[in-house]
Amino acid sequence: QDLSLPNGTPVDTSSPASSSSLLNRLQLDDDLDAETRDLFVTVDDPKKHVCTMETYITYRVTTKTTRAEFDLPEYSVRRRYQDFDWLRNKLEESQPTHLIPPLPEKFVVKGVVDRFSEEFVETRRKALDKFLKRITDHPVLSFNEHFNVFLTAKDLNAYKKQGMALLSKMGESVKYVTGGYKLRSRPLEFAAIGEYLDTFSLKLGTIDRIAQRIIKEQLEYLVELREYGPVYSTWGGLEVELSEPLEGVSACIGNCCTALEELSEDMTEDFLPVLREYILYSESMKNVLKKRDQVQAEYEAKLEAVALKKEERPKVPTDVEKCQDRVECFNADLKADMERWQNNKRQDFRQLLMGMADKNIQYYEKCLTAWESVIPLLQDKPETK
């Protein structure tokens, strides 16, 4: 049957050339700049360690590089979650004007009981891998000394105990005061960023909650389907003449169960983690925005203090000029990171939604194939007289 839209446009009902054809076109774009990169980092091979006091997972972090800052072209070290957390804290300390990518939540993801389960460990591995790749792709963070140590040091604990004292000049010079200064008002462009982040995180939170409800309902439906299918098989054992089509329906429902289970797993393992990462990402950006506001408030307070002094001064005091430089540095870094974040977000969500469409197409195609296989069994059955 020919299908067409209300305006008469024909509808292409053919399936994609391959199950991942939609994603293949996107992945080609991702590989275009691979030749220009000089630092590659991957996280893989999770291993469980059982000690007297604790049980934990470590991951292999492999680095390949041609940068002069590294003594060797390749490194392989093992790191646990708290090491990644240490790295992020050090990046926040030493690069306060930049957006630091978020880590996956430390505690067990909602709905996952065992943090040592294969599913949870794999989900975390993917998130940690993405965390390091975000840093690797950043033109400033990737050259941070703490990041270099994280990738290369065999014994990271030794550096943790020393404190390292490798803070950059920016990290040493920028001191934030939690109280005492109050910002009059954000510049319009940064106020717009703040409003956007509030709306963005709110919308993502809503999508996350609805997606979790959908997954829960799918799993409940899956339980019913698994009970539903065998009934037809049992029935077929009592009806000799109907046994073949009834067994066919039972097998069909079994295939639909498998397809639905795969769809739910894809949403849990691929869709939800991206939503959560960007919710955390927006919170990280809000924190950088607050730091920028603090520096601007400090600058405004210093300007007011100078204006209140009656004596003539040939020039603005040095500390005021330094504070102004910090504000300008913050503004430039924040805008650059916001633009980079927006570009990554567009690419990630494009791939996420295309992947979701692709997985749903596969699910419905499998269900359609399963039900179509039953039709000949019903049609070819001779009528009894």
Side-chain angles (χ1 to χ4, degrees), residues 28-264:
L28 289 175
D29 296 336
D30 295 339
D31 295 335
L32 290 179
D33 61 339
E35 295 181 359
T36 62
R37 295 180 183 176
D38 55 5
L39 181 62
F40 297 86
V41 180
T42 58
V43 178
D44 60 7
D45 189 29
K47 286 186 178 179
K48 185 177 181 180
H49 301 260
V50 181
C51 302
T52 305
M53 300 297 293
E54 62 176 338
T55 300
Y56 59 93
I57 303 291
T58 63
Y59 304 85
R60 180 174 61 189
V61 177
T62 304
T63 304
K64 295 182 180 180
T65 183
T66 56
R67 290 187 180 181
E69 291 80 12
F70 292 84
D71 296 329
L72 301 173
E74 186 170 346
Y75 296 86
S76 179
V77 295
R78 297 204 70 85
R79 299 286 183 253
R80 55 187 297 186
Y81 180 88
Q82 66 181 29
D83 297 329
F84 288 85
D85 191 44
W86 171 86
L87 171 63
R88 190 178 191 283
N89 289 334
K90 286 300 181 182
L91 289 176
E92 281 195 326
E93 290 176 9
S94 57
Q95 310 284 173
T97 64
H98 286 287
L99 171 62
I100 312 301
L103 275 173
E105 294 153 310
K106 181 176 182 178
F107 300 104
V108 177
V109 176
K110 184 178 180 180
V112 180
V113 178
D114 182 11
R115 66 189 181 96
F116 297 112
S117 68
E118 184 177 343
E119 296 79 7
F120 178 77
V121 171
E122 175 59 17
T123 299
R124 172 163 285 185
R125 183 203 64 78
K126 289 179 180 178
L128 295 176
D129 182 75
K130 182 174 286 187
F131 168 72
L132 291 188
K133 282 180 168 55
R134 301 276 196 208
I135 299 172
T136 300
D137 292 339
H138 196 282
V140 177
L141 299 182
S142 65
F143 288 93
N144 184 277
E145 291 170 292
H146 299 291
F147 186 45
N148 185 306
V149 168
F150 176 87
L151 297 178
T152 62
K154 287 296 182 182
D155 183 12
L156 192 61
N157 289 327
Y159 287 90
K160 290 182 180 180
K161 293 175 182 177
Q162 294 172 6
M164 281 186 55
L166 293 177
L167 290 179
S168 64
K169 291 182 180 179
M170 176 59 68
E172 292 174 339
S173 62
V174 179
K175 305 296 181 183
Y176 299 107
V177 182
T178 55
Y181 300 113
K182 186 175 181 181
L183 182 66
R184 293 175 186 169
S185 62
R186 280 177 177 167
L188 290 178
E189 59 181 327
F190 295 109
I193 290 176
E195 292 174 2
Y196 168 80
L197 292 172
D198 288 338
T199 303
F200 176 71
S201 56
L202 180 65
K203 297 297 183 186
L204 278 195
T206 302
I207 293 174
D208 180 61
R209 288 192 298 274
I210 295 174
Q212 290 191 56
R213 282 207 308 269
I214 290 174
I215 293 173
K216 181 182 177 182
E217 292 171 1
Q218 285 178 340
L219 295 177
E220 291 172 350
Y221 176 50
L222 189 58
V223 171
E224 299 292 341
L225 275 183
R226 284 173 175 159
E227 295 178 1
Y228 183 52
V231 174
Y232 286 92
S233 181
T234 305
W235 181 15
L238 302 175
E239 302 267 3
V240 178
E241 294 185 353
L242 295 177
S243 62
E244 189 176 1
L246 290 175
E247 288 289 349
V249 171
S250 179
C252 166
I253 295 173
N255 290 334
C256 290
C257 282
T258 302
L260 181 59
E261 188 175 15
E262 291 173 355
L263 180 64
S264 297

Side-chain angles (χ1 to χ4, degrees), residues 361-381:
I361 289 171
Q362 293 180 47
Y363 166 69
Y364 287 110
E365 282 182 339
K366 289 175 181 177
C367 290
L368 178 63
T369 301
W371 284 108
E372 284 180 338
S373 67
V374 179
I375 295 177
L377 298 177
L378 299 173
Q379 291 175 333
D380 295 341
K381 192 68 179 176

Side-chain angles (χ1 to χ4, degrees), residues 197-377:
L197 292 172
D198 288 338
T199 303
F200 176 71
S201 56
L202 180 65
K203 297 297 183 186
L204 278 195
T206 302
I207 293 174
D208 180 61
R209 288 192 298 274
I210 295 174
Q212 290 191 56
R213 282 207 308 269
I214 290 174
I215 293 173
K216 181 182 177 182
E217 292 171 1
Q218 285 178 340
L219 295 177
E220 291 172 350
Y221 176 50
L222 189 58
V223 171
E224 299 292 341
L225 275 183
R226 284 173 175 159
E227 295 178 1
Y228 183 52
V231 174
Y232 286 92
S233 181
T234 305
W235 181 15
L238 302 175
E239 302 267 3
V240 178
E241 294 185 353
L242 295 177
S243 62
E244 189 176 1
L246 290 175
E247 288 289 349
V249 171
S250 179
C252 166
I253 295 173
N255 290 334
C256 290
C257 282
T258 302
L260 181 59
E261 188 175 15
E262 291 173 355
L263 180 64
S264 297
E265 287 177 358
D266 288 328
M267 285 194 68
T268 302
E269 297 174 8
D270 297 328
F271 186 77
L272 290 183
V274 175
L275 295 183
R276 292 188 181 119
E277 182 200 13
Y278 271 92
I279 291 173
L280 295 174
Y281 232 138
S282 62
E283 293 303 317
S284 297
M285 179 62 84
K286 289 178 187 178
N287 289 334
V288 179
L289 200 56
K290 289 178 182 178
K291 292 178 183 178
R292 192 217 72 86
D293 292 346
Q294 267 187 315
V295 174
Q296 182 183 337
E298 181 184 356
Y299 173 58
E300 290 175 353
K302 289 182 182 296
L303 280 181
E304 289 180 359
V306 171
L308 290 174
K309 293 182 178 180
K310 302 297 183 181
E311 63 269 27
E312 292 290 332
R313 289 180 177 271
K315 63 177 182 177
V316 179
T318 303
D319 62 332
V320 178
E321 291 181 339
K322 289 182 178 179
C323 195
Q324 182 183 15
D325 290 342
R326 292 200 295 270
V327 173
E328 292 175 354
C329 180
F330 240 119
N331 291 346
D333 289 347
L334 182 56
K335 286 190 285 188
D337 280 1
M338 184 65 181
E339 182 179 356
R340 184 177 297 104
W341 181 71
Q342 289 282 21
N343 290 334
N344 288 337
K345 177 173 65 67
R346 280 191 291 269
Q347 181 177 345
D348 288 345
F349 275 91
R350 179 169 170 249
Q351 184 167 346
L352 179 70
L353 297 176
M354 290 285 278
M356 183 173 67
D358 201 24
K359 297 299 182 182
N360 275 275
I361 289 171
Q362 293 180 47
Y363 166 69
Y364 287 110
E365 282 182 339
K366 289 175 181 177
C367 290
L368 178 63
T369 301
W371 284 108
E372 284 180 338
S373 67
V374 179
I375 295 177
L377 298 177

